[in-house]
Amino acid sequence: MNTTHPSAVPQSAPALPVPPVAGLAPQPQPLPAGPPPVLQARRLRHTYGKSASATPALNGIDLDIQVAESLAVMGPSGCGKTTLLHVLAGIIAPTDGTVHHGGQPLQDLSDAARTRLRRSAFGFVFQDGQLLPELTALENVILPRMLAGSSRRTATADARGWLDRLGLAGLHDRRPGQLSGGQAQRVAIARALAGRPTVVFADEPTGALDQATGHAVLEVLTEASREAGASLVMVTHDPAVAAVCERTIAMRDGRIEQQFRRRSAAEGQVR
Amino acid sequence: MTLLNVAPLVLRRRGGIAGILPIIGFAASTAILATVLGGLTAFLGRAAVVPEGVDFSDPRANLPFLLTCAAVATALLVPSAMGLGSAAAKLSLSRRERDLASMRLVGGTSAQIGTIAVLDVVLQALIGSLAGIGLHLAVTPALTGLDFGLAPFTIGELMLPVWGYPVLVLAVALLSAFSAALGLLGVVISPLGVARDSRIVRMSVIRLAVWVLLVIGFGAAFQIVPRLAGTADDPLLVTTVVLAVFMAVLVGSVNLVGPFVVWLAARILAAVAPRPALLVGARRLAADPRAGWRSVSGVTFGLVIAGFLTLLTIFGRSTDPAEAALMTALNTGGYLTLGIAAVLAAVSTGVTQTARVLDQAGVYRSQHVSGAPISALQRARMAEIGLPLAIAAIIAGVSAAGLIMPVLGGAAILGPLVQYLLSALVALGLVAVSVLVSAPLVSRVARSEA
């Protein structure tokens, strides 16, 4: 894989400029030229708690995520990266600011509509898989499809294809407890992608795996997402994990501090 | 500082529903055991003072037979109540796993941790059983109003002898210690956490074979025992004891085959389930068929007995005071058994389901994050209890069909039939409602921040 570790970028290499923070850009910015982003966040602020005990988690975030782009969100603990993922995915509503998915403002949707959106347009990969322990690998993959209204027969045919493609042929009927950590995470990836999402959100997807297994799972996640035409938003604190993504944003204190684009051998320079 | 000094610090009570659940289980188990055994001693006390050669028209002549019925009801309910106590012990242990892992981290050996874990469960059992005895004492006055066709029982009669209470508390504590020790065999507590035995549950067909053999044995005993008892000094006592023992064995055998039936039905259902809630519910049931069966076993027995006794009271209508009193007693006893079984099942189901939600909070949350509506999560839980309830309802339906036959024959028994069907509906409904008790918890954990 033609990747370069972000930390390997020369110190003199220019980082992308830090996006403007809220207050400096009171109106949503116009869409940039080219294909519209699949997700667009403007002036995002989020605060946990109220009054004196209030803890700001997001402090003016502007972010565009392009179709089929892979983005790593990095930063130290408590910098707001998981909160950003939750806000982008419509899991929590931001205290201020907007998130648009395909031009549709998430803040205008009811809780039920946002739940439907997550089911139909987004896929999720969690740190420890979070597969239903009683269901087989195949059933874990078909469940979200059935919830979205697919028939069991259709969902099963698609799910078998995804599991085989991710190297799990012959393991369809195993329970999560009978799978290795890497295999279980591949099932979670199949579950996330089987619904043909526009965006896959992954929160520390390799946090519970050893290095070798984690690397293999990352390759599967990024390549399968790209092939499926889904954008990937991955939260991680590990630079080696972030390195597989095309773009990395580094957060600190609820702000985007820096952005990097992966330098490929073909490009030969930081974009 | 020794490990025992550290233990209270690590195992401090956190409060909240997770800490209370096992205590509720122990309390319900103890209260039902005390009440059922108290009822049995009340009948024993009355039967002991029936004068020799009492006239058959005197309702007291029914007491030996009623004592047999009380023994049968006790044999039916006590295993279920003990099962709830055992489940509470395992629940208590599972709530503590993370704390126990922390104790391993500070240097405890497996033996030390095992001892502390069992002692912790026993402590909760003691608290729960004392609360249960309080509950039993609170309920007992209401039971004096029940009509058994005799002079009403007094509070004193319905209570255990004074020595019975400490013995009961001790028995519950011992049961909890045994269950906790057994539960520890399935987990490995390491300093880094707890590894659970994740073997897939498989039910052997041997359960079915044993049940068939026991049913045949019961049929044979039913024929042989009365003849053998005829040669004993006290034939009635011998028959009562032997039949109660056989009834307990039969109940045990049904509890052996019940999980097998639930497991088989759940696996078949999971393989063809067209709806997601049914798929999840059936799989959860197949993964823990014993809990599924425990939810309805007592009610199922209760429904069969209530149906049988309702039938008996219909055919046994009489103007003779003693016979009328006997029918009243059987009717009261049957429905009391059903009521206790329903409460037992509801508590057991409520505690088990709530514990499962707490255990799988992360999975519930991730499902909701991934787009599963809360209503779908609730439907899956209802589907899980739905299959055992359907089995119980089928058995109740067969009993009801037995009641309909005399109606077709022209007997005017609409009243008892309606009474039976309503009781079945209330008993099964109570179990279903017990699942809903944890519905707000599902909503809370699904919407919680990670």
Side-chain angles (χ1 to χ4, degrees), chain A residues 48 86 91-92 111 115-116 118-119 124 126 130-136 139 142-143 146-147 152 175 177-178, chain B residues 198 200 270-271 273-276 280 283-284 287 360 362-363 365-373 376 447 449:
Chain A
Y48 292 107
H86 287 175
I91 297 165
I92 53 176
D111 184 51
T115 303
R116 275 198 300 277
R118 292 200 299 271
R119 192 164 67 220
F124 294 86
F126 303 94
Q130 297 287 13
L131 301 171
L132 269 73
E134 302 91 352
L135 269 60
T136 64
E139 289 165 347
I142 67 172
L143 189 66
M146 290 174 73
L147 277 168
R152 181 167 181 155
R175 306 282 190 285
Q178 297 172 298
Chain B
S198 62
I200 300 301
R275 311 295 308 164
V280 175
R283 276 291 175 217
R284 285 188 179 147
Q360 298 191 357
V363 176
R365 179 177 154 67
S366 67
Q367 279 186 279
H368 183 53
V369 162
S370 305
R447 290 197 167 102
E449 297 290 329

Side-chain angles (χ1 to χ4, degrees), chain B residues 46-58:
Chain B
R46 287 281 178 98
V49 294
V50 174
E52 284 284 328
V54 65
D55 190 83
F56 280 111
S57 63
D58 188 330

